[in-house]
């Protein structure tokens, strides 16, 4: 199964080569979208993901992870390709639908595929390398985007499309694995999928809280950050360098397991999410270029670094129908993220500082939820020991 891991690392690298990412929102605005329309499409994307997550997970558990990933990566590729032809809200709507179907199919299935392809006890390390490969690719594409975007935004999109096409080819060379299947032949019994039914309530608190933190971090580092940098006078062509810098911390996700072993998984997670909350708070008042870069890049890097810990916690809570349950987790997260996008988008259209204030308040709720989960899990663990 080592071959699967190496191929998935390559795919993560190819999927991370998003050459237009530093100007993704600005590209859409240039093509006729408003900021509120963009966030509405993000809401729509997540809504479609919610509706298709569990059916995709069930499909994966029933018909195989490899087949699901081939179809999903193909749909994601078509979503990227259609960007070249979008010039109106309707065009971006179609692109959003294609992307959503691809994202929901990959979500959960790729993690389940990795988890079942690696040795016992190595999942956090594998997830870290998977995340790091994507971050490294994003770093490369961000550095090179200075020259590419200077030529044209469309050329940056074209190079991204080629990269995503190659990832579809690579997934075809993986070897499928045996699925963990439920004892029920027709229907998936969600409760059966958990090792400890008493932990269901708290794992969902964790899922919702992490979704809040992740959506705010991504929303700021990928979208609002572009508007903020433009507002304080940074030229568009330099955004690629800033994005590249943000990936330096992200690439350290391959070493997150080292920090977890040294300080403990929960302590490491707590320190990182508090640091993210501080970065978000700073942006409410920051007008200085250096401080803004550090805060936004810090958010981008830290969200990548907590990913291996989060994925390990999620997988340890599941015993059956892994792809289905990971899709359920993702679906719950997507519901939360969808409404966050609407709230942040409306605030951003009024005044960017209001959007950052909203982000800080919402992220505070997420941080509290993670702390609540950790405290309850520690109590549960001490009672069971």
């Amino acid at each position: 199964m080592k071959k699967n891991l190496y191929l998935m690392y390559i795919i993560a690298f190819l999927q991370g080569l998003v050459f237009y990412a530093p100007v993704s929102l600005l590209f859409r605005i240039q093509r006729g979208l408003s900021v509120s329309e963009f966030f509405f499409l993000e809401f729509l994307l997540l809504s479609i993901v919610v509706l298709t997550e569990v059916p995709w997970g069930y499909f994966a558990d029933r018909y195989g992870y490899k087949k699901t990933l081939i179809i999903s990566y193909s749909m994601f590729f078509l979503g990227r390709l259609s960007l070249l032809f979008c010039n109106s809200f309707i065009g971006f709507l179609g692109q959003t639908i294609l992307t959503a179907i691809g994202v929901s199919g990959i979500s959960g299935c790729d993690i389940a595929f990795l988890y079942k392809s690696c040795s016992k006890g190595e999942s956090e390390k594998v997830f870290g390398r998977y995340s790091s490969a994507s971050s490294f690719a994003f770093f490369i594409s961000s550095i090179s985007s200075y020259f590419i975007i200077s030529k044209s935004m469309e050329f940056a999109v074209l190079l991204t499309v080629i990269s995503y096409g190659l990832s579809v080819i690579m997934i075809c060379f993986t070897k499928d694995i045996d699925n963990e299947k439920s004892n029920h032949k027709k229907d998936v019994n969600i409760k059966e999928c958990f090792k400890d039914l008493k932990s269901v309530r708290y794992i969902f608190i964790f899922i919702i809280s992490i979704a809040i933190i992740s959506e705010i971090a991504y929303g700021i580092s990928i979208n609002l950050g572009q508007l903020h940098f433009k507002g304080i006078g940074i030229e568009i062509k330099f955004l690629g360098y800033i994005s590249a810098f943000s990936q330096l911390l992200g690439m350290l996700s391959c070493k997150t397991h080292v920090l977890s072993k040294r300080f403990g998984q929960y302590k490491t997670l707590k320190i990182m999410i508090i640091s993210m909350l501080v970065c978000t708070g700073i942006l409410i008042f920051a007008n200085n270029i250096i401080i803004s870069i550090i805060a936004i890049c810090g958010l981008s890097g830290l969200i990548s670094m907590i990913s291996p810990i989060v994925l390990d916690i999620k997988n340890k809570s599941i015993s059956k129908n892994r792809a289905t349950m990971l899709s359920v987790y993702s679906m719950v997260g997507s519901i939360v993220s969808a409404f966050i996008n609407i709230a942040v988008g409306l605030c951003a259209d009024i005044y960017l500082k209001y959007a950052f204030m909203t982000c800080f308040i919402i992220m505070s709720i997420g941080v509290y939820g993670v702390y609540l989960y950790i405290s309850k899990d520690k109590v549960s663990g001490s009672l069971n020991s």
Side-chain angles (χ1 to χ4, degrees), residues 113-183:
F113 190 65
L114 283 168
Y115 191 79
K116 294 300 295 178
S117 295
C118 68
S119 303
K120 187 176 181 180
E122 289 191 344
S123 59
E124 192 175 319
K125 182 190 295 184
V126 168
F127 294 147
R129 290 175 176 173
Y130 185 62
S131 177
S132 183
S134 179
S135 295
F136 181 56
F138 200 85
F139 172 79
I140 292 175
S141 60
S142 296
I143 286 289
S144 58
S145 68
Y146 173 83
F147 306 100
I148 296 170
I149 293 172
S150 295
K151 185 173 181 179
S152 75
M153 291 186 187
E154 288 73 17
F155 184 54
V157 174
L158 176 60
L159 290 178
T160 303
V161 170
I162 293 171
S163 177
Y164 274 64
L166 291 174
S167 68
V168 175
I169 296 173
M170 296 302 298
I171 193 63
C172 296
F173 290 96
T174 58
K175 182 179 180 182
D176 212 349
I177 58 177
D178 295 328
N179 299 23
E180 297 163 312
K181 294 184 178 178
S182 169
N183 294 326

Side-chain angles (χ1 to χ4, degrees), residues 28-43:
R28 288 170 169 84
I29 291 174
Q30 181 180 286
R31 291 293 188 96
L33 279 185
S34 68
V35 175
S36 57
E37 284 176 336
F38 170 79
F39 278 100
F40 172 76
L41 288 177
E42 288 291 294
F43 170 81

Side-chain angles (χ1 to χ4, degrees), residues 57-69:
Y58 179 75
F59 181 89
D61 282 324
R62 187 176 179 84
Y63 299 105
Y65 298 156
K66 179 179 177 178
K67 184 181 294 184
T68 304
L69 288 173

